[in-house]
Amino acid sequence: MLKKITVRNVFSIGVTTLDFSKGNYQYEGENILGDAVNPIAIYGHNGSGKSSFLNALAQFISLLVNPVEQLAPFVVNDLLFSQYATKKNQDPACLIGSISLQFELEKSTFEYIVATSANQGITHERLTKGQDVVFERNGQNYLYHGEKRTLNPNDSPLVLLLRRLASSEITDGVIQTVFSYLTSFVHADVSRINQGGFVTSKFYLNQNIYDLLVKQSNDVKRILSTFKDFPIYSIEKGNKFPNGLLGNQYYIVLEDKDGFKERLRFQFISNGMRNASLLLSILTSLPQQSVFFIDELDIALHPSTIKSFIEVAREKKIQLVFSSHNTSAMRYLRPDQIYFAKWERGFSTLLRLSTIYPNIREVNNIEKMYLGSMFDEAINQSNE
């Protein structure tokens, strides 16, 4: 169970924290997973920093799962980087971005932090279990269960020590459990869904996304049947093109309750149907207790289907964090599940509704209040 994420100096983020702990509310109890709220929704104006926060998590996942030649340090805040480059600020911290996560596994609490420098690779990395330090790395030197070790200077400076230990210390149950959990994280940037490579995850590195659609088709079809006024269809794979030549061909099979059933080539599927299928195929293929980060969920899902999507995540016990401009989800979320992104003077942060507007109650219509700009003053004045 993921408990807290803190991002420092990555993209436009200055320092901000996403806290999954539940507040003192007695309603919408179905939105509690263990002792954490689920899902968490991030709202905000264009340019406020929603994508910056989620893209930071995509970079974190990529450090865990991408091939070595594709690894890159966190992209630090450009304002601080420019200040350092122009010698207005010579603090080397301007070049360092970091992400720390607090989570619970097998009834033990963990904290994992990784910091990278734009010119040095990984500068700091630490994993703690409770009060015990499992390992801590500073540059090329590290402690592993108290034993001093040094990395090979010829190794890539961007390969996480956690990855190395997961490969070499196969009998260390703590390392294996933590690595398995963190590599279950998935990030999807729906705005890039037409470009390919919109998913960052170990599960889909070498998988044809169309084959995933076919594999998960029955599960997706079952979910689609619960959507209001949404076509019901499945996706099939053939080995011949319409002209008879051999080759993989994908089809959408449309059905309705009156017995209508027709097959069309997949390229004729609508954008909405394709996008919904992709996200649902990913969601249904994930193992329980994964964490799914989605940027701009509303691009892929109609407002009437977002609630069903959340219910599927709840059934599979998957923690869900998404950004959206569509406010319909606010109708069935608690104040401790809603964050607002705020950009000011080159830095972005996330503000929790339950913190900046603590007097909100169940009888209040959060969506109406937000659209009516009732939270604007609290957002603008907050120094969280």
Side-chain angles (χ1 to χ4, degrees):
M1 185 69 62
L2 189 56
K3 297 299 187 72
K4 190 177 291 186
I5 305 170
T6 299
V7 177
R8 293 178 174 84
N9 191 27
V10 184
F11 292 108
S12 70
I13 302 297
V15 180
T16 201
T17 296
L18 196 72
D19 191 344
F20 293 77
S21 63
K22 61 182 180 181
N24 189 27
Y25 300 98
Q26 303 303 316
Y27 60 97
E28 302 288 358
E30 66 273 16
N31 291 342
I32 304 299
L33 180 61
D35 59 357
V37 290
N38 187 49
I40 283 181
I42 304 173
Y43 290 92
H45 299 295
N46 289 335
S48 59
K50 302 184 299 297
S51 293
S52 283
F53 184 84
L54 292 172
N55 286 341
L57 272 297
Q59 279 213 295
F60 171 77
I61 298 169
S62 69
L63 283 172
L64 286 162
V65 304
N66 278 10
V68 174
E69 62 273 13
Q70 297 178 13
L71 300 180
F74 294 127
V75 177
V76 297
N77 184 287
D78 196 55
L79 180 62
L80 290 179
F81 182 84
S82 297
Q83 290 176 353
Y84 186 86
T86 57
K87 299 184 179 181
K88 292 179 181 179
N89 184 347
Q90 286 298 284
D91 184 354
C94 294
L95 303 179
I96 296 175
S98 71
I99 291 181
S100 64
L101 303 102
Q102 295 178 19
F103 48 96
E104 183 178 290
L105 296 173
E106 300 177 351
K107 298 182 179 180
S108 296
T109 58
F110 293 86
E111 182 177 32
Y112 178 66
I113 180 172
V114 58
T116 72
S117 169
N119 57 8
Q120 296 179 3
I122 296 169
T123 59
H124 184 227
E125 186 181 359
R126 184 180 71 239
L127 174 67
T128 58
K129 178 183 179 183
Q131 301 299 316
D132 299 326
V133 177
V134 180
F135 68 76
E136 183 164 16
R137 167 185 177 178
N138 289 289
Q140 291 294 107
N141 302 310
Y142 68 97
L143 289 174
Y144 172 61
H145 293 298
E147 177 186 344
K148 293 182 179 180
R149 296 184 180 182
T150 301
L151 294 170
N152 187 328
N154 295 321
D155 290 345
S156 169
L158 282 168
V159 176
L160 295 172
L161 179 59
L162 180 61
R163 285 182 69 163
R164 299 179 190 276
L165 294 176
S167 177
S168 63
E169 305 295 335
I170 60 175
T171 61
D172 189 325
V174 170
I175 293 293
Q176 298 303 324
T177 298
V178 170
F179 184 71
S180 176
Y181 171 66
L182 294 181
T183 54
S184 75
F185 290 10
V186 178
H187 173 276
D189 182 353
V190 185
S191 68
R192 298 179 57 213
I193 208 165
N194 293 321
Q195 304 172 24
F198 76 99
V199 179
T200 306
S201 164
K202 76 171 183 180
F203 299 117
Y204 315 110
L205 279 175
N206 300 306
Q207 184 168 8
N208 184 318
I209 199 69
Y210 296 107
D211 288 339
L212 175 67
L213 292 174
V214 174
K215 181 180 179 181
Q216 300 302 127
S217 185
N218 288 335
D219 288 336
V220 171
K221 182 180 176 181
R222 175 183 59 81
I223 297 168
L224 292 175
S225 66
T226 69
F227 286 6
K228 183 180 179 181
D229 300 324
F230 201 88
I232 299 175
Y233 56 88
S234 56
I235 298 172
E236 297 178 350
K237 182 178 180 180
N239 59 6
K240 286 185 179 181
F241 289 102
N243 59 9
L245 295 176
L246 295 179
N248 292 333
Q249 179 70 35
Y250 299 86
Y251 299 91
I252 175 173
V253 181
L254 296 164
E255 303 178 50
D256 66 22
K257 297 178 182 178
D258 298 324
F260 172 84
K261 186 173 182 178
E262 289 292 340
R263 191 168 80 158
L264 299 172
R265 280 177 287 165
F266 186 78
Q267 53 262 47
F268 288 97
I269 193 172
S270 73
N271 286 338
M273 294 166 69
R274 180 198 58 204
N275 295 349
S277 291
L278 285 168
L279 280 190
L280 286 169
S281 295
I282 293 170
L283 182 64
T284 56
S285 67
L286 293 178
Q288 284 194 354
Q289 298 179 329
S290 301
V291 186
F292 195 4
F293 302 97
I294 307 175
D295 195 9
E296 301 195 48
L297 177 66
D298 50 300
I299 292 179
L301 297 180
H302 186 273
S304 64
T305 65
I306 291 177
K307 186 174 183 179
S308 296
F309 186 85
I310 290 173
E311 289 173 351
V312 175
R314 184 186 300 140
E315 290 172 5
K316 289 182 65 67
K317 293 182 171 56
I318 291 173
Q319 287 183 274
L320 184 63
V321 179
F322 65 88
S323 71
S324 178
H325 287 288
N326 191 295
T327 59
S328 62
M330 289 181 172
R331 301 171 194 171
Y332 36 88
L333 296 179
R334 298 152 42 115
D336 50 0
Q337 293 180 269
I338 297 172
Y339 278 79
F340 299 121
K342 172 187 176 182
W343 183 92
E344 184 176 21
R345 293 177 173 268
F347 297 94
S348 298
T349 190
L350 300 182
L351 308 172
R352 200 176 198 182
L353 175 57
S354 57
T355 299
I356 64 172
Y357 209 94
N359 294 325
I360 200 164
R361 296 292 182 265
E362 181 178 4
V363 296
N364 297 127
N365 186 321
I366 296 176
E367 181 186 29
K368 187 174 181 179
M369 294 173 73
Y370 175 64
L371 293 175
S373 302
M374 294 185 66
F375 302 135
D376 287 1
E377 183 177 356
I379 292 171
N380 292 331
Q381 293 183 353
S382 177
N383 294 316
E384 188 182 76

